[in-house]
Amino acid sequence: MSNLVASHPTISVVILNYNGQDWLERCFASLESQTVFGEIEVIVVDNHSPDGSAQLAERWLNRSGGKGRCIKSPVNLYFCEGNNVGAAQASGKYLFFLNNDTWLEPDCLETLLSEVQRVGATAANPVVLDYDADTFQSLGSPGFDLFGIPLGLGRFSETKPIFAACGCGYLIRNDVFASVGGFDPALLMYSDETDLSWRVQIGGGVVVGVPAARLHHRGATAANPEGKTRIVESRTSETKRFLSNRNGILLIAKNAQGLLLLLLIPHLLLLLAEAFASLVLIRNWRFTRRAYLDAIADAFRMRGHVMEWRRRIRGFRKRSDFQMLRFLRLRPARWDEVKRLFKFGAPKVDAR
């Protein structure tokens, strides 16, 4: 293992960990193999994991020649606040938020950084591939549909601007992350990377997808653990759908300036239609109420939080809704979920 440690690292890799015992060793090994390993520091934030993965992280960091540190939280801070805690300890010019169920090909960070600097981008993500194959997962979100829902599966061959970067491997300039307010802790998790990307765009930044940089990702390890390194079924939980639906509403309410606020109308109507479809397919009233009706109600209860963020955003806004219209797409974002429905059938639901 290299003992080269930059006094002022170029990239601070922030890994949020919760019960990552099965994933961290390969993630760390891929970081160690990076062609720019001497220019990075690694900050692990452990969300009170009971599986011993925090100790695994400490052992690797102790062997790495002072490459970083492990911050052990006494409580689960969830995705947003956990990453904010890690970012606050970072000294790199760039932050790279990395999920623990990932591994990077050796030139991933070098290529990602090179492309970001070449095109003058503010934030970026590599191409995301399946964990144990080269099957395409995502290259970030190219835009949002008429319901205000971000589209996935943007695929292209050269570095190009996108609407939002993937949260599993998100590179952003440290100073910009701070200036736009970091991750919103109230979101807890889900839609957080889109919220951050929208604020980066509002602030005049550029987000790009870099297909030449390659990252492998399992995804949904907590909500859908069956299959180990492969997703073999459709599974969700009350909490996941509640947060996803609630945060989708907050995403528009916080970041839209005026014109794009109209997207809230079709967005809410779509959620009500999905609630009815969910009740028919899954036949679980408790899930439907929690995942849809409670999510809508909670978003409206958070109107004070929304207004505070809107005031903050006015302070750094450089792009209007009219300028953000370039990301509007006619293809419905939910079509990808419909295809998963045909592939795996109605999702299994965990009551948690």
Side-chain angles (χ1 to χ4, degrees), residues 258-271:
L259 176 65
L260 291 180
L261 280 173
L262 294 173
L263 294 174
L264 281 173
I265 298 171
H267 188 96
L268 291 169
L269 291 174
L270 179 64
L271 287 182

PDB file of all heavy atoms in Angstrom, residues 258-271:
ATOM      1  N   GLY A 258     -40.769  29.995  -9.840  1.00  0.00           N
ATOM      2  CA  GLY A 258     -42.135  30.458 -10.053  1.00  0.00           C
ATOM      3  C   GLY A 258     -42.842  29.582 -11.072  1.00  0.00           C
ATOM      4  O   GLY A 258     -43.749  28.821 -10.746  1.00  0.00           O
ATOM      5  N   LEU A 259     -42.397  29.674 -12.325  1.00  0.00           N
ATOM      6  CA  LEU A 259     -43.023  28.912 -13.403  1.00  0.00           C
ATOM      7  C   LEU A 259     -43.013  27.413 -13.121  1.00  0.00           C
ATOM      8  O   LEU A 259     -44.030  26.732 -13.287  1.00  0.00           O
ATOM      9  CB  LEU A 259     -42.301  29.204 -14.724  1.00  0.00           C
ATOM     10  CG  LEU A 259     -42.759  28.410 -15.943  1.00  0.00           C
ATOM     11  CD1 LEU A 259     -44.190  28.764 -16.305  1.00  0.00           C
ATOM     12  CD2 LEU A 259     -41.826  28.655 -17.131  1.00  0.00           C
ATOM     13  N   LEU A 260     -41.883  26.891 -12.686  1.00  0.00           N
ATOM     14  CA  LEU A 260     -41.769  25.449 -12.467  1.00  0.00           C
ATOM     15  C   LEU A 260     -42.530  24.974 -11.232  1.00  0.00           C
ATOM     16  O   LEU A 260     -42.713  23.770 -11.042  1.00  0.00           O
ATOM     17  CB  LEU A 260     -40.300  25.042 -12.378  1.00  0.00           C
ATOM     18  CG  LEU A 260     -39.507  25.138 -13.684  1.00  0.00           C
ATOM     19  CD1 LEU A 260     -38.055  24.722 -13.482  1.00  0.00           C
ATOM     20  CD2 LEU A 260     -40.138  24.279 -14.783  1.00  0.00           C
ATOM     21  N   LEU A 261     -43.002  25.911 -10.399  1.00  0.00           N
ATOM     22  CA  LEU A 261     -43.861  25.515  -9.279  1.00  0.00           C
ATOM     23  C   LEU A 261     -45.158  24.892  -9.776  1.00  0.00           C
ATOM     24  O   LEU A 261     -45.801  24.122  -9.056  1.00  0.00           O
ATOM     25  CB  LEU A 261     -44.179  26.727  -8.394  1.00  0.00           C
ATOM     26  CG  LEU A 261     -43.107  27.163  -7.394  1.00  0.00           C
ATOM     27  CD1 LEU A 261     -43.511  28.462  -6.722  1.00  0.00           C
ATOM     28  CD2 LEU A 261     -42.848  26.074  -6.357  1.00  0.00           C
ATOM     29  N   LEU A 262     -45.549  25.236 -11.019  1.00  0.00           N
ATOM     30  CA  LEU A 262     -46.759  24.644 -11.594  1.00  0.00           C
ATOM     31  C   LEU A 262     -46.640  23.131 -11.729  1.00  0.00           C
ATOM     32  O   LEU A 262     -47.655  22.428 -11.817  1.00  0.00           O
ATOM     33  CB  LEU A 262     -47.046  25.276 -12.959  1.00  0.00           C
ATOM     34  CG  LEU A 262     -47.425  26.764 -12.944  1.00  0.00           C
ATOM     35  CD1 LEU A 262     -47.515  27.295 -14.363  1.00  0.00           C
ATOM     36  CD2 LEU A 262     -48.736  26.972 -12.192  1.00  0.00           C
ATOM     37  N   LEU A 263     -45.406  22.625 -11.742  1.00  0.00           N
ATOM     38  CA  LEU A 263     -45.216  21.170 -11.824  1.00  0.00           C
ATOM     39  C   LEU A 263     -45.778  20.450 -10.605  1.00  0.00           C
ATOM     40  O   LEU A 263     -46.022  19.242 -10.652  1.00  0.00           O
ATOM     41  CB  LEU A 263     -43.725  20.847 -11.963  1.00  0.00           C
ATOM     42  CG  LEU A 263     -43.038  21.292 -13.256  1.00  0.00           C
ATOM     43  CD1 LEU A 263     -41.535  21.019 -13.165  1.00  0.00           C
ATOM     44  CD2 LEU A 263     -43.628  20.588 -14.464  1.00  0.00           C
ATOM     45  N   LEU A 264     -45.985  21.177  -9.507  1.00  0.00           N
ATOM     46  CA  LEU A 264     -46.542  20.549  -8.309  1.00  0.00           C
ATOM     47  C   LEU A 264     -47.949  20.009  -8.553  1.00  0.00           C
ATOM     48  O   LEU A 264     -48.346  19.013  -7.946  1.00  0.00           O
ATOM     49  CB  LEU A 264     -46.572  21.547  -7.146  1.00  0.00           C
ATOM     50  CG  LEU A 264     -45.248  21.782  -6.415  1.00  0.00           C
ATOM     51  CD1 LEU A 264     -45.391  22.922  -5.418  1.00  0.00           C
ATOM     52  CD2 LEU A 264     -44.778  20.507  -5.715  1.00  0.00           C
ATOM     53  N   ILE A 265     -48.701  20.646  -9.436  1.00  0.00           N
ATOM     54  CA  ILE A 265     -50.083  20.206  -9.680  1.00  0.00           C
ATOM     55  C   ILE A 265     -50.105  18.819 -10.317  1.00  0.00           C
ATOM     56  O   ILE A 265     -50.708  17.887  -9.750  1.00  0.00           O
ATOM     57  CB  ILE A 265     -50.840  21.243 -10.531  1.00  0.00           C
ATOM     58  CG1 ILE A 265     -50.923  22.578  -9.779  1.00  0.00           C
ATOM     59  CG2 ILE A 265     -52.243  20.737 -10.876  1.00  0.00           C
ATOM     60  CD1 ILE A 265     -51.462  23.719 -10.615  1.00  0.00           C
ATOM     61  N   PRO A 266     -49.492  18.614 -11.487  1.00  0.00           N
ATOM     62  CA  PRO A 266     -49.491  17.251 -12.034  1.00  0.00           C
ATOM     63  C   PRO A 266     -48.731  16.257 -11.151  1.00  0.00           C
ATOM     64  O   PRO A 266     -49.069  15.071 -11.127  1.00  0.00           O
ATOM     65  CB  PRO A 266     -48.820  17.415 -13.403  1.00  0.00           C
ATOM     66  CG  PRO A 266     -48.050  18.685 -13.319  1.00  0.00           C
ATOM     67  CD  PRO A 266     -48.837  19.571 -12.407  1.00  0.00           C
ATOM     68  N   HIS A 267     -47.722  16.736 -10.420  1.00  0.00           N
ATOM     69  CA  HIS A 267     -46.955  15.849  -9.536  1.00  0.00           C
ATOM     70  C   HIS A 267     -47.866  15.260  -8.458  1.00  0.00           C
ATOM     71  O   HIS A 267     -47.853  14.036  -8.225  1.00  0.00           O
ATOM     72  CB  HIS A 267     -45.808  16.626  -8.891  1.00  0.00           C
ATOM     73  CG  HIS A 267     -44.849  15.776  -8.118  1.00  0.00           C
ATOM     74  ND1 HIS A 267     -43.669  15.299  -8.641  1.00  0.00           N
ATOM     75  CD2 HIS A 267     -44.906  15.284  -6.847  1.00  0.00           C
ATOM     76  CE1 HIS A 267     -43.040  14.570  -7.739  1.00  0.00           C
ATOM     77  NE2 HIS A 267     -43.771  14.554  -6.633  1.00  0.00           N
ATOM     78  N   LEU A 268     -48.648  16.099  -7.813  1.00  0.00           N
ATOM     79  CA  LEU A 268     -49.546  15.627  -6.759  1.00  0.00           C
ATOM     80  C   LEU A 268     -50.638  14.727  -7.329  1.00  0.00           C
ATOM     81  O   LEU A 268     -51.004  13.718  -6.716  1.00  0.00           O
ATOM     82  CB  LEU A 268     -50.155  16.817  -6.021  1.00  0.00           C
ATOM     83  CG  LEU A 268     -49.175  17.629  -5.162  1.00  0.00           C
ATOM     84  CD1 LEU A 268     -49.819  18.927  -4.692  1.00  0.00           C
ATOM     85  CD2 LEU A 268     -48.693  16.811  -3.971  1.00  0.00           C
ATOM     86  N   LEU A 269     -51.167  15.079  -8.501  1.00  0.00           N
ATOM     87  CA  LEU A 269     -52.188  14.233  -9.130  1.00  0.00           C
ATOM     88  C   LEU A 269     -51.616  12.861  -9.470  1.00  0.00           C
ATOM     89  O   LEU A 269     -52.289  11.835  -9.309  1.00  0.00           O
ATOM     90  CB  LEU A 269     -52.724  14.914 -10.387  1.00  0.00           C
ATOM     91  CG  LEU A 269     -53.562  16.181 -10.152  1.00  0.00           C
ATOM     92  CD1 LEU A 269     -53.906  16.845 -11.475  1.00  0.00           C
ATOM     93  CD2 LEU A 269     -54.835  15.858  -9.360  1.00  0.00           C
ATOM     94  N   LEU A 270     -50.354  12.824  -9.918  1.00  0.00           N
ATOM     95  CA  LEU A 270     -49.719  11.548 -10.223  1.00  0.00           C
ATOM     96  C   LEU A 270     -49.557  10.701  -8.964  1.00  0.00           C
ATOM     97  O   LEU A 270     -49.796   9.485  -8.989  1.00  0.00           O
ATOM     98  CB  LEU A 270     -48.356  11.782 -10.875  1.00  0.00           C
ATOM     99  CG  LEU A 270     -47.560  10.521 -11.219  1.00  0.00           C
ATOM    100  CD1 LEU A 270     -48.287   9.698 -12.276  1.00  0.00           C
ATOM    101  CD2 LEU A 270     -46.149  10.875 -11.691  1.00  0.00           C
ATOM    102  N   LEU A 271     -49.163  11.321  -7.861  1.00  0.00           N
ATOM    103  CA  LEU A 271     -49.007  10.567  -6.613  1.00  0.00           C
ATOM    104  C   LEU A 271     -50.336   9.965  -6.167  1.00  0.00           C
ATOM    105  O   LEU A 271     -50.381   8.824  -5.679  1.00  0.00           O
ATOM    106  CB  LEU A 271     -48.444  11.472  -5.514  1.00  0.00           C
ATOM    107  CG  LEU A 271     -46.971  11.863  -5.635  1.00  0.00           C
ATOM    108  CD1 LEU A 271     -46.559  12.723  -4.443  1.00  0.00           C
ATOM    109  CD2 LEU A 271     -46.068  10.635  -5.724  1.00  0.00           C
TER     110      LEU A 271
END
